[in-house]
Amino acid sequence: MAVFPSRPYNPNAPSNRVNAILRKYPLLFGGPFIGIIVIASFGLSSFTQTRYDLQKQKTSVMSPEEEKRLESKRRPVDRREEYFVSTSAGPHSSGESGLMYTYNQRLSAEATAKEADDWDV
């Protein structure tokens, strides 16, 4: 086992003086720490405000011109087509990827819906 050298207690050592000062004035240690926390919270609040401002810009109200442009591009919803799309087998049964399968599924649903004109809807 290692033998530790014995050192007599030296009250004038620098570490002992620092401990004595911190015991006498505890705010010398805690004050800067609390100060850093407060300053950092004010600094981070500006970044947080910038983040929320950017999110607000992304979710702003549309102008009437934008609404008209979107309405003109909108495809009408057909209940029969949605029925055939929702009741078909999933993409894993045919081995195709999900996006291509959905596109092919919609094409076949449109063709089936056109053939099923005798439905009373």
Side-chain angles (χ1 to χ4, degrees):
M1 212 162 162
V3 177
F4 295 103
S6 71
R7 290 193 216 160
Y9 177 71
N10 183 3
N12 295 327
S15 63
N16 292 334
R17 280 184 270 155
V18 170
N19 286 337
I21 291 171
L22 287 178
R23 268 191 230 112
K24 191 172 183 180
Y25 305 105
L27 288 179
L28 287 178
F29 180 73
F33 178 73
I34 298 298
I36 288 172
I37 299 297
V38 170
I39 290 171
S41 70
F42 281 111
L44 289 176
S45 67
S46 63
F47 287 115
T48 304
Q49 186 62 42
T50 304
R51 175 181 159 214
Y52 288 129
D53 290 342
L54 288 174
Q55 285 179 352
K56 187 177 180 183
Q57 285 178 356
K58 289 180 182 178
T59 58
S60 62
V61 178
M62 281 196 293
S63 66
E65 294 85 21
E66 289 176 327
E67 285 183 30
K68 287 180 184 176
R69 187 167 24 104
L70 287 176
E71 286 291 329
S72 66
K73 292 180 182 178
R74 184 173 293 166
R75 195 177 82 174
V77 177
D78 185 17
R79 285 188 287 171
R80 289 179 282 183
E81 175 187 347
E82 295 301 323
Y83 170 77
F84 287 119
V85 167
S86 66
T87 58
S88 298
H92 302 294
S93 62
S94 64
E96 296 177 341
S97 69
L99 183 61
M100 193 61 190
Y101 180 78
T102 305
Y103 176 72
N104 290 339
Q105 189 178 19
R106 286 215 179 257
L107 289 179
S108 66
E110 288 174 2
T112 308
K114 287 178 185 175
E115 293 171 1
D117 287 334
D118 56 342
W119 283 29
D120 189 23
V121 179

